Amino acid sequence: MDELMERLEAITAAGRRAEEMTAEWSTRQFVGRADEGRIVATADALGTLTKLEISPLSRKRLDARRLADEIVAAVSKAEEAAAAAKDELMSNLRP
């Protein structure tokens, strides 16, 4: 009976730890930069774009095609950072 209680306590503690880790992860934001940091994309924990900042200098010096490519690069970096954090969280939750 003592062994079962210890196992139950360990499972309960692991569940609490998982909830805490997930809550912390879900509030994080991930940033991707392009065009020498002049284009900044921010994504939430799920990789959803929440903010995009484009410097006036980028708008002025890049043509439409290059500007689009740089925006996509910044967004991709933010999404990749969010995915990497999710993968790390999932690996830490596994026993």
Side-chain angles (χ1 to χ4, degrees), residues 18-70:
E19 285 179 7
E20 290 169 1
M21 290 172 66
T22 303
E24 184 274 328
W25 166 80
S26 69
T27 62
R28 291 178 63 190
Q29 294 192 341
F30 303 90
V31 175
R33 299 179 191 282
D35 192 31
E36 300 175 2
R38 291 185 284 265
I39 297 174
V40 181
T42 305
D44 65 12
L46 298 175
T48 303
L49 182 66
T50 59
K51 188 175 179 183
L52 180 63
E53 299 172 46
I54 304 169
S55 164
L57 183 59
S58 293
R59 291 177 194 226
K60 186 175 185 175
R61 70 180 200 76
L62 300 175
D63 63 20
R65 174 69 180 203
R66 288 213 38 233
L67 181 60
D69 289 345
E70 294 295 325

